Amino acid sequence: MSRRDAEKIELAVTLVHESDRAVLVNDGDREAWLPKSQCEVEGGEYPAPGEAFTLYVAEWVAKEKGLI
């Protein structure tokens, strides 16, 4: 399986900041920048900063960023 086809996992996070290509999220223990290309959010739009939401992110990215 290539990284592009990597399995996504579900994370409960709070949005800290959003840029054109990445999101800064907090999982309660740490903050991490995640590339939007490796993330999915229900409804297709990220919430306002400070709001909690469920993020689906490639497992390898979550591991690399220390979120799992």
Side-chain angles (χ1 to χ4, degrees):
M1 176 183 300
S2 72
R3 282 190 167 191
R4 185 161 191 81
D5 299 324
E7 188 171 324
K8 293 201 181 334
I9 61 165
E10 183 177 309
L11 297 176
V13 296
T14 300
L15 183 66
V16 177
H17 185 75
E18 179 181 5
S19 73
D20 289 339
R21 296 176 57 183
V23 287
L24 178 60
V25 297
N26 185 304
D27 71 354
D29 293 323
R30 62 196 122 327
E31 288 186 350
W33 279 101
L34 303 173
K36 286 183 174 179
S37 64
Q38 297 298 322
C39 299
E40 291 179 24
V41 62
E42 251 179 63
E45 292 188 25
Y46 290 89
E51 290 187 24
F53 69 108
T54 301
L55 182 68
Y56 301 91
V57 62
E59 185 175 14
W60 71 267
V61 173
K63 284 181 181 177
E64 186 176 278
K65 301 295 182 171
L67 296 172
I68 59 170

